[in-house]
């Protein structure tokens, strides 16, 4: 299937347009129409949507203002159609800024404008494409790349290398592309960011069936991207990377892989791009008796679809994002579910979490040029840097406090109020399910009420007594109770801080990557590290975001930076670049200090954001703008050029 980005002609029937407009997202529609027609008077003061709030899609427009906006849109669309549906006139920066100001309800500053223009990404533009080709800037130069992993980041890197004419091979351990969306097939798996923003900026899909689509839709999107970009032929499936070793003299990487037939093979490449993700090696709980259970037992990312859960007694260890998605489904068919919770979660209300995109809105996205981009832009802004103050640590914070500051308290009160309301009448459950730590200490789980509804079910029991051991019959808790089970599911997450395990990677002088890290993965911009020339990480150390933005955005920035590194090598006639130790260390000091100003950095609750030492090795603590700026170009002074 292809990714649908075709715009269909508007019908002659105005009633059909009117009908669709009933479902319109109005704040993004009027800028789209202003762009389409070049008529900025459409951005009327009386139809000004106000500040962007995700839970208030119509931006606080009164019903009368909404009706007026729909009428205006209808007249504009009909006139545009009757005028022959001409292409949109060229958009100047100032016009774009005016539309953005209108859409987000605040003035877009000069520093954000270039980033936001890039993110708008109209169909005919791809501002993050390399803009150079190997044969043009370094004719005859040999540069081959190995990409490890064909998930979201790997597909992207492959596409960009292809655009630059750099030969590459992708090594993928699974039988298909898609990474996390290929592996996580548990019931209820769906994207918890808004789907229209969780997609490549340059390959937007207009017809997402849900605001947060299920796993199979995401997998299909990434499959379609791999097909459309024409990179599938370069992927070696069912093949695992065992090691990568740098040869100082030849300035060359040897990547050793094991193919589907078990045979090992060495592949030589001038550059290696790791796109293995952070959340793909399942972590089993460190509890006594693991493996003793006699019934079906499996991890959420290795779902056993053959296990008979209907009518069964099912135990679940863990209550993170994965468990919060599959437990409601399991509870719907199991005889009983016992949830073993070590730490509760904060739940962010997302009313449209399970909702289909309404028919009229879908229709408009397909028929109004530019509308999908402006809607994506609205979402991008809604989950953008404006959230950061809510997770900031104020000066007065003391370890153990339930909030990190004034803005964090506001967020806490909102989330606590929502949970209390949804569990009204059950103080026992409120007591167990209410977190006593600052929101964003760990991942805030997205929910539309399905979690509290599940806890309220007669066949569900939330157990907070610590686990003593796993027995052949079930799970024994420290109060002496043995919970007899037919099946046990581990929703216990991933070995996120064990970057690139179990691969062995050796750099200059044979230095081992994991030894150099000493248990605490660090990188410069999350992409390069000293002693490992031309080895690049995507979604590497400190590139995960907690409350602002999407991982796709980060990957696009990272890949752009990698391509700029390659360009630097080619244009300068260098063989490799090696990150300078002082640059790397100073950068990481800043990152560590930044994370200590965020809820996840100061909180003592367990989370996958921290390595065993307690250092936050996963998260980016600053703005999206700052990461974009830092990865836009490469400063040659940051590297030893070999
Ligand atoms: P997770 O957030 O790391 O949650 C693991 C759960 O297992 C936690 O509740 C943890 O409790 C519990 N646990 C671990 N060891 C335990 C033990 N020994 N005894 C008792 N409980 C134990 O893992 P996840 O839910 O798979 O999610 C990982 C990340 O993947 C998410 O944060 C998110 O970034 C991503 N994800 C995204 C989506 C989506 O977009 N739709 C869906 C799923 C996952 P503690 O809290 O006490 O450690």
């Amino acid at each position: 299937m292809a990714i649908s980005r075709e715009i269909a002609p508007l019908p002659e029937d105005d009633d059909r347009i009117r009908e669709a407009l009933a479902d319109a997202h109005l704040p993004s529609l009027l800028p789209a129409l202003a762009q389409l027609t070049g008529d900025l008077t459409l951005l009327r003061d009386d139809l000004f949507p106000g500040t962007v709030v995700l839970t208030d899609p119509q931006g606080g427009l009164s019903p009368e203002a909404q009706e007026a906006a729909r009428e205006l849109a209808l007249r504009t669309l009909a006139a545009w159609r009757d005028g022959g549906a001409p292409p949109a006139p060229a958009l100047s920066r100032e016009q774009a800024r005016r539309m953005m100001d209108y859409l987000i309800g605040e003035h877009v500053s000069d520093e954000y404008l270039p980033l936001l223009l890039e993110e708008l990404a109209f169909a005919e533009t791809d501002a993050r494409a390399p803009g150079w080709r190997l044969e043009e800037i370094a004719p005859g130069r040999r540069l081959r790349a190995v990409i490890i992993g064909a998930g979201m980041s790997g597909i992207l890197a492959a596409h960009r290398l292809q655009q630059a004419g750099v030969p590459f091979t992708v090594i993928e351990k699974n039988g298909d592309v898609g990474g996390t969306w290929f592996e996580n097939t548990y019931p209820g798996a769906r994207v918890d960011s808004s789907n229209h923003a969780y997609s490549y900026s340059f390959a937007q899909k207009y017809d997402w069936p849900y605001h947060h689509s299920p796993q199979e839709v995401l997998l299909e999107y990434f499959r379609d991207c791999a097909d459309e970009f024409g990179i599938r032929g370069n992927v070696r499936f069912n093949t695992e990377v065992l090691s990568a070793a740098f040869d100082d003299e030849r300035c060359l990487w040897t990547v050793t892989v094991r193919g589907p037939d078990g045979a090992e093979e060495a592949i030589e490449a001038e550059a290696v791009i790791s796109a293995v993700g952070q959340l793909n090696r399942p972590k089993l709980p460190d509890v006594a008796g693991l493996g003793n259970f006699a019934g079906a037992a499996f991890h959420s990312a290795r779902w056993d679809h053959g296990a008979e859960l209907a009518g069964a007694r099912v135990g679940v260890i863990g209550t993170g994002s994965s468990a919060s998605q599959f437990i409601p489904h399991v509870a719907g068919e199991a005889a009983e579910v016992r949830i073993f919770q070590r730490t509760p979660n904060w739940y962010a209300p997302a009313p449209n979490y399970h909702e289909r995109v309404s028919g009229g809105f879908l229709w408009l996205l397909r028929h109004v040029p530019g509308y999908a981009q402006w809607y994506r832009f609205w979402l991008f802004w809604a989950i953008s840097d404006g959230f950061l103050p809510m997770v900031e640590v104020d000066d007065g914070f003391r370890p153990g406090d339930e909030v990190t500051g004034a803005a964090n308290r506001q967020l806490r009160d909102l989330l606590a109020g929502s949970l209390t309301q949804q569990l009204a009448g059950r103080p026992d459950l409120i007591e167990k399910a209410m977190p006593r730590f600052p929101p964003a200490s760990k991942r805030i789980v997205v929910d539309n009420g399905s979690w509290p509804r599940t806890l309220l079910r007669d066949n569900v029991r939330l157990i907070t007594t610590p686990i003593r051991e796993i027995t052949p019959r079930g799970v024994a808790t420290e109060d002496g109770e043995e919970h007899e089970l037919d099946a046990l599911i581990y929703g216990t997450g991933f070995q996120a801080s064990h970057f690139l395990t179990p691969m062995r990677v050796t750099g200059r002088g044979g230095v081992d990557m994991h030894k150099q890290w000493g248990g605490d993965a660090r990188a410069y911009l999350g992409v390069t590290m000293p002693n490992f020339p031309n080895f690049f990480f995507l979604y590497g150390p400190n590139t995960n975001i907690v409350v602002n933005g999407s991982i796709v955005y980060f990957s696009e920035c990272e890949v752009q930076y990698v391509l700029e590194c390659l360009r630097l090598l080619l244009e300068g006639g260098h063989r490799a670049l090696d990150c300078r130790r002082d640059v790397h260390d100073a950068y990481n000091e800043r990152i560590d200090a930044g994370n200590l100003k965020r809820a996840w950095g100061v909180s003592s609750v367990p989370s996958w954001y921290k390595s065993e030492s307690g250092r936050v090795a996963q998260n980016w603590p600053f703005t999206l703008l700052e990461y974009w700026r830092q990865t836009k170009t490469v400063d040659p002074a940051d590297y030893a050029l070999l």
Side-chain angles (χ1 to χ4, degrees), residues 180-181 184 186 188-193 198 213 279 283-287 299-301 317-326 340-345 353 437 442-445 467 490-494 539 544-545 605-609:
T180 196
W181 298 110
N184 285 277
Y186 60 78
R190 63 196 318 133
V191 61
D192 64 2
S193 307
Y198 184 91
S213 294
L279 301 166
K283 189 181 85 180
L284 294 176
D286 49 353
V287 292
H299 185 273
S300 59
I317 301 181
T319 51
S321 296
S322 300
S324 300
Q325 287 189 332
F326 70 72
F340 299 92
Q341 170 191 283
R342 190 165 63 182
T343 318
N345 290 291
Y353 194 30
F437 53 81
K442 55 184 199 153
R443 171 89 167 184
I444 299 175
V445 180
I467 296 171
Y490 301 114
T492 43
F494 301 88
Y539 199 19
N544 181 64
I545 31 96
V605 292
S607 80
W608 64 266
Y609 296 156

